[in-house]
Amino acid sequence: MSLTANWSYPTAVRFGAGRISEIADACAAAGISKPLLITDRGLADMDITTRTLDFLEAAGLGRAIFADVDPNPNEKNAEAGVKAFNDGGHDGVVAFGGGSGLDLGKLVAFLAGQTRPLWDFEDIGDWWTRADSDAIAPIVAVPTTAGTGSEVGRASVITNSETEEKKIIFHPKFLPSVVICDPELTVGMPKFITAGTGLDAFAHCVEAFCSPHYHPMSQGMALEGMRLVKEYLPRAYADGTDIEARAHMMSAAAMGATAFQKGLGAIHALSHPIGAIYHTHHGTTNAVCMPAVLQFNKPAAEGVLTQAANYLGIEGGFDGFCAYVDALNDSMGIPKTLKGLGIENPDIDRIVQGALKDPSTGGNPVEMTQDNTRELLLKIV
Ligand SMILES: [Zn+2]
């Protein structure tokens, strides 16, 4: 079976090894003639980034790059990015990278033409309608990890560096016009990033699948996304150059992010404040939280996770699913506690408050309260 395809759902996706060579054509399709490539500092000097800039330059699109982006990007990164975009007279963004580069790139394309301040667009009620929709610059997204799925998402996660809170900025036009999913870009990921990002994709699928909202399309996608992770994440982890495994993980990431329109849950509700305060890796933090959250959700999610276990070929129903998750985490060196992530004496009250305010909380199948969320958090300290 060829692992190359063009998809138009949920947006135009050019999927296949080597397709980064189509970046200039993708920009043209999105109506971009002077792109600003936005990525994080770690990727700025890497070969995959240089090659992408070479393709742009060869097509007469210049080689402008903005890489002043933190691992958990914040409003200062956004402000500097908007300045680079406007000063350079750019007409679109190539959002390039893992979650940080993709989310900041999308945000800069959104903000560059707006007159209101960033926090006016937080994902609360219909605040997104405050934006001047026509002023949003087009986006081409190029993921270099397989986890966040932000390349097919309609939001960006951004840290407020003053309050140390992760905020979600939403607008339908955050959805990139064109995506290039080239699994060759992910072969250089170090093992712990392959694990952390892959487990983020898994967490998106699991939380979407357990969320009680009605969304059968997402339900199907979440289930098959879990299967792809189960089959291919161990292979991608064992051999980073296994292109078939890398390709299927890239699909799983896009599927997880499409599926979580149905909702996320307690894993992300906890992981967001923990990451915002202690700057831990998002996907790895999710993986640490998942085993305790599965038990927490047992009263409401036992049935659906038994269905998932059956589909995935895991014996033992709900308990078998939990045992599988423990074994998967162990096989990739995921710690069992926040201490194992390097967090000594976490601020329990602050994390609980942050979790209860996080929009992911609303998708959890068991209602989260002060008391039960504190109890849950104490299980992973
Ligand atoms: Zn996530």
Side-chain angles (χ1 to χ4, degrees):
M1 179 178 59
S2 162
L3 295 180
T4 300
N6 295 327
W7 299 327
S8 57
Y9 174 76
T11 186
V13 179
R14 299 175 182 215
F15 193 99
R19 297 194 73 180
I20 191 60
S21 65
E22 298 174 28
I23 184 69
D25 191 49
C27 285
I32 302 172
S33 59
K34 199 176 179 198
L36 177 63
L37 185 144
I38 297 184
T39 193
D40 63 71
R41 286 188 204 96
L43 274 167
D45 298 320
M46 285 179 63
D47 181 55
I48 51 173
T49 313
T50 308
R51 273 179 44 227
T52 304
L53 290 168
D54 290 345
F55 285 129
L56 290 172
E57 190 175 30
L61 301 180
R63 54 181 312 125
I65 177 170
F66 173 80
D68 194 8
V69 179
D70 291 303
N72 286 305
N74 58 45
E75 76 286 355
K76 292 174 197 160
N77 301 148
E79 201 179 309
V82 165
K83 186 171 184 319
F85 184 92
N86 287 332
D87 288 355
H90 296 286
D91 61 357
V93 166
V94 173
F96 188 91
S100 316
L102 293 174
D103 278 10
L104 198 87
K106 288 161 60 181
L107 189 63
V108 167
F110 169 79
L111 268 186
Q114 305 301 321
T115 51
R116 298 177 71 137
L118 167 62
W119 304 123
D120 278 10
F121 302 110
E122 201 185 326
D123 188 14
I124 297 174
D126 65 351
W127 284 18
W128 65 272
T129 59
R130 294 169 167 179
D132 177 354
S133 181
D134 295 336
I136 301 171
I139 303 159
V140 171
V142 183
T144 63
T145 67
T148 167
S150 181
E151 66 275 11
V152 293
R154 302 174 303 159
S156 280
V157 180
I158 182 110
T159 299
N160 182 327
S161 66
E162 279 169 32
T163 63
E164 292 183 312
E165 289 173 291
K166 283 200 181 189
K167 297 287 188 186
I168 295 172
I169 310 294
F170 168 86
H171 193 284
K173 284 179 85 173
F174 270 53
L175 184 68
S177 307
V178 184
V179 179
I180 294 182
C181 279
D182 180 346
E184 283 180 358
L185 301 179
T186 67
V187 299
M189 268 195 285
K191 272 186 184 300
F192 82 100
I193 300 287
T194 297
T197 52
L199 292 170
D200 187 27
F202 188 64
H204 296 155
C205 293
V206 170
E207 293 214 285
F209 195 71
C210 293
S211 163
H213 304 306
Y214 179 72
H215 201 319
M217 283 186 274
S218 289
Q219 202 70 347
M221 216 175 315
L223 192 56
E224 176 65 1
M226 280 187 244
R227 189 189 70 80
L228 291 176
V229 172
K230 178 170 180 277
E231 196 155 335
Y232 295 104
L233 180 55
R235 271 175 57 177
Y237 184 77
D239 174 8
T241 65
D242 182 339
I243 283 290
E244 187 190 359
R246 291 293 197 187
H248 287 304
M249 281 307 299
M250 203 156 228
S251 293
M255 291 162 78
T258 310
F260 76 58
Q261 278 195 30
K262 181 169 180 273
L264 287 170
I267 296 171
H268 277 78
L270 288 173
S271 166
H272 284 150
I274 292 167
I277 301 169
Y278 301 105
H279 308 287
T280 52
H281 184 265
H282 170 69
T284 312
T285 312
N286 288 341
V288 172
C289 297
M290 185 179 287
V293 170
L294 294 177
Q295 293 301 329
F296 179 84
N297 285 339
K298 185 176 178 182
E302 190 171 3
V304 284
L305 286 176
T306 298
Q307 281 176 12
N310 290 342
Y311 180 73
L312 297 172
I314 296 168
E315 288 180 11
F318 174 84
D319 292 338
F321 188 89
C322 295
Y324 160 73
V325 169
D326 286 339
L328 181 65
N329 277 357
D330 286 349
S331 73
M332 292 187 288
I334 300 295
K336 294 191 190 310
T337 59
L338 297 184
K339 197 169 183 187
L341 279 178
I343 306 171
E344 302 280 350
N345 303 316
D347 188 334
I348 301 292
D349 288 335
R350 208 171 151 202
I351 297 171
V352 169
Q353 292 323 314
L356 292 174
K357 267 169 61 183
D358 193 273
S360 311
T361 299
N364 200 65
V366 169
E367 194 187 346
M368 296 172 72
T369 65
Q370 291 274 356
D371 288 346
N372 69 12
T373 303
R374 166 178 279 269
E375 217 172 289
L376 167 63
L377 179 59
L378 289 174
K379 287 202 163 52
I380 55 164
V381 169

